Amino acid sequence: LECAGELAERLAPEAALVVKLRYLEDVSISEIARVLRKERHQIRYLHDQTLLELKDQLRDHGFTEAELREVLT
């Protein structure tokens, strides 16, 4: 993903952190919530909204639905 770095830079710092912890470090949503001292539902919402934002940005960069499923699941 050549544009992944660009897209990550556009995210709010907390959103970028949640995505990095979840997908690069394989940290659970519950653990992220504990570390960030937030409720689990707050982190789940931030995570879900961030994925939607990333999907929209990737679509804008020409990704197909099949590619999005492969990248974001």
Side-chain angles (χ1 to χ4, degrees):
L1 282 177
E2 295 174 4
C3 62
E6 292 175 33
L7 297 177
E9 289 176 5
R10 295 181 189 171
L11 296 175
E14 190 173 60
L17 178 60
V18 167
V19 169
K20 287 176 187 176
L21 289 173
R22 182 72 189 112
Y23 295 101
L24 298 180
E25 302 296 328
D26 199 32
V27 178
S28 72
I29 295 293
S30 295
E31 184 65 12
I32 295 169
R34 188 186 67 75
V35 169
L36 296 179
R37 296 186 173 138
K38 298 213 177 212
E39 296 291 327
R40 185 182 185 286
H41 72 271
Q42 292 173 302
I43 298 302
R44 171 57 64 194
Y45 180 80
L46 177 60
H47 170 270
D48 292 350
Q49 291 303 114
T50 302
L51 285 186
L52 289 173
E53 182 181 335
L54 285 172
K55 282 182 180 182
D56 287 343
Q57 290 178 16
L58 289 169
R59 275 189 202 101
D60 291 346
H61 279 82
F63 279 70
T64 66
E65 290 301 316
E67 291 169 326
L68 289 175
R69 280 192 298 278
E70 184 179 324
V71 170
L72 296 175
T73 56

